[in-house]
Amino acid sequence: MPSVRRLLCLVFCVVLAGCATAQRRGEQALYAGQYNEAIHLFQSILAEDPDRLDARLGLGIALYKAGALADAALTLDEVLARAPAEGAALLYRGLAAIQQREDAVAVDHLTRFRDVARIPRFDAQVTQALRILGGAAPPSVDTREFMATSLEETVRSARELQEARRAVERAYLSAFPAHCAPTRRGWICF
């Protein structure tokens, strides 16, 4: 019987590896701007495992990027029902709401994203967007598209900056022996 258990474990691992590979391919297609391919990949993952939250999130973002705002909103609402503090879902649901003229929904989701993400440059832009959305006259379609694009780009650039800082920190740390540690004034080695 141990061989049967090993075989089942191996099959399980292969299935999981296939899902991870499909997820990674979906994310790569999404970031490469191949939104229809990403949608197809995420949908195929969800056909096999409807509970995959990461695939559902990827699908929601891909649908938003492809311009299918209503489908994106529904998909992202499903993600938020299971993970109410999921930052990416809050952001893209808020962006979809801006473009769909759902101003109260946009205000709610962007405010919640701002509180979760804590990105200083984003705070000022959200405050400005909330002021525009709450103004006497509703913003034009062009203004809504500009706001959504601007907010998305601010978050993207803040994340890229954060990743670059981490890379520099890792490189800096790797230059010192393992018995050294950073302090406020420099490094101390023991």
Side-chain angles (χ1 to χ4, degrees):
M1 284 300 166
S3 62
V4 172
R5 286 184 185 155
R6 287 183 187 161
L7 180 62
L8 287 174
C9 184
L10 180 63
V11 168
F12 182 72
C13 289
V14 167
V15 168
L16 283 179
C19 289
T21 302
Q23 179 70 26
R24 187 174 21 246
R25 286 194 328 259
E27 290 169 357
Q28 289 170 344
L30 178 61
Y31 296 123
Q34 300 167 342
Y35 306 126
N36 290 331
E37 176 68 15
I39 290 168
H40 172 73
L41 288 165
F42 290 129
Q43 285 174 334
S44 67
I45 293 168
L46 291 169
E48 291 180 24
D49 186 359
D51 292 331
R52 288 281 303 268
L53 197 59
D54 56 348
R56 191 161 307 282
L57 176 61
L59 176 61
I61 294 170
L63 287 165
Y64 172 82
K65 299 293 270 179
L69 299 177
D71 291 337
L74 289 173
T75 303
L76 294 166
D77 283 340
E78 292 171 1
V79 172
L80 291 168
R82 291 179 42 205
E86 170 55 55
L90 288 168
L91 172 65
Y92 282 96
R93 181 59 180 102
L95 299 179
I98 287 174
Q99 294 193 41
Q100 290 183 297
R101 299 176 184 259
E102 298 173 335
D103 294 346
V105 174
V107 167
D108 175 52
H109 286 80
L110 292 175
T111 302
R112 288 172 44 204
F113 175 75
R114 180 183 61 191
D115 295 342
V116 168
R118 299 187 184 268
I119 301 170
R121 294 185 328 178
F122 188 77
D123 287 350
Q125 281 194 281
V126 167
T127 301
Q128 184 70 7
L130 297 178
R131 188 183 64 73
I132 292 169
L133 291 172
S140 69
V141 172
D142 290 339
T143 301
R144 289 174 181 279
E145 188 174 322
F146 179 77
M147 281 192 308
T149 302
S150 176
L151 291 169
E152 182 181 23
E153 285 302 308
T154 297
V155 171
R156 184 191 56 74
S157 65
R159 287 196 176 136
E160 286 176 357
L161 179 61
Q162 186 178 38
E163 289 172 16
R165 284 182 179 153
R166 285 186 191 140
V168 167
E169 186 177 285
R170 282 192 305 271
Y172 191 66
L173 289 173
S174 68
F176 289 91
H179 61 278
C180 295
T183 67
R184 286 189 216 182
R185 294 184 178 199
W187 287 83
I188 186 169
C189 296
F190 22 146

